[in-house]
Amino acid sequence: MFSVKNRTIIVTGASGVIGFAISEALAKKGARIIALGRNKEKLNKSFEQLASFGTEHLQMVCDVLDVHSLQEVAQHLDKKKITIDALINVAGGAAPGASARSEFLFAETPLEDSFFGLDLNDFRYTTDLNFLGSVYPIKIFGESMAKQKSGNIINISSMGAIQPLSKSPAYSAGKAAITNFTQWLAVHLSKSNIRVNAIAPGFILTEQNRFLLFDEKSGNLTPRGQRILSHTPQGKLGDPDDLVSTVFWLLSEKSSFITGITVPVDGGFSAYNGI
Ligand SMILES: NC(=O)c1ccc[n+]([C@@H]2O[C@H](COP(=O)([O-])OP(=O)(O)OC[C@H]3O[C@@H](n4cnc5c(N)ncnc54)[C@H](O)[C@@H]3O)[C@@H](O)[C@H]2O)c1
């Protein structure tokens, strides 16, 4: 019902926590993964183990904001006569100077801790990464889907798209833009047998954010971790595997009448007002 066997799927940000979890799950079920990432060593190490699942995968160094490097990948695939069935845009994140240190600007708050202290280069990089970092791969790899008149595109958004995350205006704006673009593109490609959807993960526990959510020594939740859990009706953090089942569903024929949506996978976070 949800078979991905012999389907060729490009995953960007493939050696990151969520990108790898998705790639590994798809590879285990017989999909061929074209894994794109910035770091060759990390990619090779992550994808060594995927080879054991029997399908021949391909990993290529590629920066999603560098159109030239995306074109090189597309040319390589073209030369090898590899056709793409799906594209999953996972690459994303935030540069440190794009987040404010203080949630509110009180009279006594130093301006450098507020919005006015943000680094504009980091701000631009972060909005670009989370918006154009999906638009560019779609432009480059989607063209072959348009020619073959079939395809499936999944973007990764965030809770910040629905309601901005306090302190993270650039990340939230970039994710809001990709949610909006998902709708636009879904309509634009609706006559071409190409579906476009997004997933908005809630708070997923990964090695990168574990230190923000749990105190290293005591193992107890940090104040931020406590706030997240108190705003998550199911009272738990998500696991990368929680996203994997949604990916299988969106890739499958079972969701063939679904395009242009952003699916929250969030333990109820986006539905909860708290009043
Ligand atoms: N972890 C969460 O709680 C959470 C919640 C909501 C959304 N997300 C989104 O999920 C996605 C994956 O997040 P993650 O938690 O696995 O983080 P991660 O840092 O482990 O993975 C992100 C990956 O993107 C890659 N990347 C960054 N910039 C790139 C570029 N210019 N070109 C190519 N690759 C680039 C990184 O190298 C990394 O491998 C991101 O889009 C993130 O915004 C994560």
Side-chain angles (χ1 to χ4, degrees):
M1 195 186 283
F2 297 104
S3 175
V4 290
K5 200 165 170 47
N6 298 327
R7 289 171 80 180
T8 302
I9 301 174
I10 298 184
V11 180
T12 73
S15 53
V17 177
I18 292 173
F20 185 71
I22 291 172
S23 303
E24 187 183 36
L26 293 170
K28 276 184 182 168
K29 296 292 178 189
R32 176 194 213 180
I33 304 299
I34 313 292
L36 306 185
R38 282 179 306 178
N39 183 321
K40 191 170 188 200
E41 270 172 35
K42 216 172 145 197
L43 265 180
N44 286 346
K45 204 165 157 220
S46 309
F47 283 83
E48 246 167 38
Q49 35 185 309
L50 290 201
S52 63
F53 301 132
T55 319
E56 190 197 329
H57 306 285
L58 191 66
Q59 48 293 2
M60 290 186 73
V61 174
C62 176
D63 184 325
V64 291
L65 288 176
D66 177 354
V67 172
H68 182 68
S69 89
L70 289 161
Q71 281 167 336
E72 276 181 357
V73 174
Q75 280 158 9
H76 182 79
L77 298 179
D78 204 35
K79 222 189 270 169
K80 298 248 166 200
K81 300 205 179 330
I82 297 173
T83 52
I84 303 304
D85 297 302
L87 164 66
I88 308 179
N89 287 305
V90 188
S99 298
R101 280 191 285 269
S102 179
E103 189 172 342
F104 301 106
L105 176 58
F106 293 105
E108 65 278 15
T109 310
L111 279 186
E112 63 265 29
D113 288 352
S114 76
F115 166 73
F116 300 102
L118 296 183
D119 180 307
L120 286 182
N121 287 329
D122 281 6
F123 198 101
R124 176 186 280 257
Y125 179 77
T126 301
T127 49
D128 280 359
L129 175 59
N130 292 290
F131 178 40
L132 299 180
S134 296
V135 173
Y136 291 173
I138 293 170
K139 175 92 165 49
I140 304 296
F141 303 123
E143 198 174 320
S144 63
M145 293 182 188
K147 285 180 187 154
Q148 77 205 14
K149 295 187 174 47
S150 71
N152 196 318
I153 297 168
I154 300 175
N155 298 316
I156 303 294
S157 184
S158 149
M159 288 295 105
I162 298 162
Q163 208 170 44
L165 301 178
S166 53
K167 301 184 184 175
S168 304
Y171 180 77
S172 300
K175 291 298 193 188
I178 198 60
T179 286
N180 183 285
F181 180 69
T182 297
Q183 290 179 306
W184 182 86
L185 193 68
V187 173
H188 188 66
L189 299 180
S190 57
K191 317 290 186 201
S192 309
N193 194 29
I194 300 171
R195 293 192 292 122
V196 190
N197 291 294
I199 296 172
F203 291 84
I204 307 295
L205 184 61
T206 64
E207 282 320 304
Q208 274 87 333
N209 66 17
R210 182 178 293 276
F211 75 101
L212 289 171
L213 304 172
F214 289 97
D215 182 82
E216 252 178 272
K217 279 190 192 144
S218 66
N220 295 330
L221 282 165
T222 58
R224 183 178 165 81
Q226 279 168 14
R227 278 176 79 182
I228 289 170
L229 279 203
S230 67
H231 281 79
T232 305
Q234 286 190 345
K236 61 177 185 178
L237 296 164
D239 181 274
D241 282 346
D242 291 322
L243 305 174
V244 164
S245 48
T246 309
V247 167
F248 275 91
W249 172 62
L250 288 175
L251 288 176
S252 79
E253 278 304 303
K254 289 288 160 192
S255 62
S256 61
F257 197 45
I258 292 173
T259 193
I261 64 163
T262 295
V263 187
V265 180
D266 66 346
F269 184 93
S270 56
Y272 183 51
N273 182 291
I275 295 171

